[in-house]
Amino acid sequence: MKDHANLAEQMHSRILFYKIFLSQTDTLNLSASLKEQYELCHKRLSKENKSIVADMRTLYARSLVFIGQNSTAEKLTRQSLEDYQDFYGGEQKRPQQAEAYLVLGESLESSGRHVEAHEAFNMARRIYEKISITTCFASLKTIYKKLAD
C-alpha cells in the first residue's frame, strides 16, 4: 500500500510538471510522453486511486486537443468525468471535474460541436461557482467561530 501511495504522489508531481510545460513545449512529443505516463498510472493505480488516474488522463486528453485528436480527447475526458463522479461521489464537487469539463469543451469546440462545447463550458462554470461559494461559506464559518470566542 505504501508503494501505491508513493506512486500516487509521484504521479501527482508529474501532473503538475506537465501542466506547467504543456503550452510551452513541442506538443507532439509532450503528448507522447503524457500517454506513457497515463498508461503507467492507469496500470499501477487504477484500482487504488481513480482520481490521480483521471487527472493524468485529462491532462493527456488536453494535449491531444492541441494536436487535433479531438475524438480521442473527448473519449478520454468523458472517462475521467465518470471516474471523478465515482471517486468523489457525484458531479460538481471538485476543481478537477471542472477542468475535465473545460477539456471536454475544448475538444468539442475544436470538432465544430459548438452547442455541446457551450454545455461543457457552462458545466465547468457551475462547478467553479459552487466550489467558490462553498469555500466562501466555510471561511465565513471559521471567522464567525473566532469572533464568537
Side-chain angles (χ1 to χ4, degrees), residues 130-148:
K130 184 176 182 179
I131 291 168
S132 295
I133 289 169
T134 302
T135 302
C136 181
F137 282 134
S139 297
L140 284 171
K141 180 180 175 183
T142 302
I143 293 296
Y144 289 145
K145 282 184 178 180
K146 288 179 181 179
L147 289 172

Side-chain angles (χ1 to χ4, degrees), residues 81 91-95 97-106 108-109 113-131:
L81 287 166
E91 285 189 349
Q92 302 185 29
K93 300 228 177 215
R94 303 291 294 222
Q97 292 169 303
E99 185 173 346
Y101 275 108
L102 288 174
V103 174
L104 179 61
E106 291 167 2
L108 294 167
E109 182 179 24
R113 295 161 60 193
H114 302 295
V115 172
E116 292 173 87
H118 181 263
E119 291 170 6
F121 289 137
N122 268 333
M123 181 61 94
R125 180 188 53 80
R126 285 192 296 271
I127 293 169
Y128 282 129
E129 286 174 354
K130 184 176 182 179
I131 291 168

Side-chain angles (χ1 to χ4, degrees), residues 45-104:
L45 293 173
S46 62
K47 293 180 183 172
E48 288 78 19
N49 195 328
K50 281 186 171 186
S51 176
I52 293 289
V53 176
D55 290 347
M56 185 60 81
R57 185 187 303 119
T58 301
L59 188 58
Y60 170 47
R62 175 165 273 147
S63 74
L64 293 175
V65 172
F66 283 125
I67 61 173
Q69 294 184 13
N70 298 308
S71 62
T72 303
E74 178 188 352
K75 178 183 172 192
L76 291 171
T77 306
R78 289 187 188 280
Q79 287 175 333
S80 291
L81 287 166
E82 287 177 21
D83 283 351
Y84 287 137
Q85 188 167 349
D86 289 345
F87 189 79
Y88 295 122
E91 285 189 349
Q92 302 185 29
K93 300 228 177 215
R94 303 291 294 222
Q96 295 92 326
Q97 292 169 303
E99 185 173 346
Y101 275 108
L102 288 174
V103 174
L104 179 61

Side-chain angles (χ1 to χ4, degrees), residues 13-32:
S13 296
R14 289 177 190 171
I15 289 167
L16 294 175
F17 170 80
Y18 285 122
K19 280 183 177 182
I20 292 168
F21 291 104
L22 186 58
S23 62
Q24 303 173 3
T25 308
D26 174 12
T27 313
L28 192 59
N29 287 333
L30 183 58
S31 185

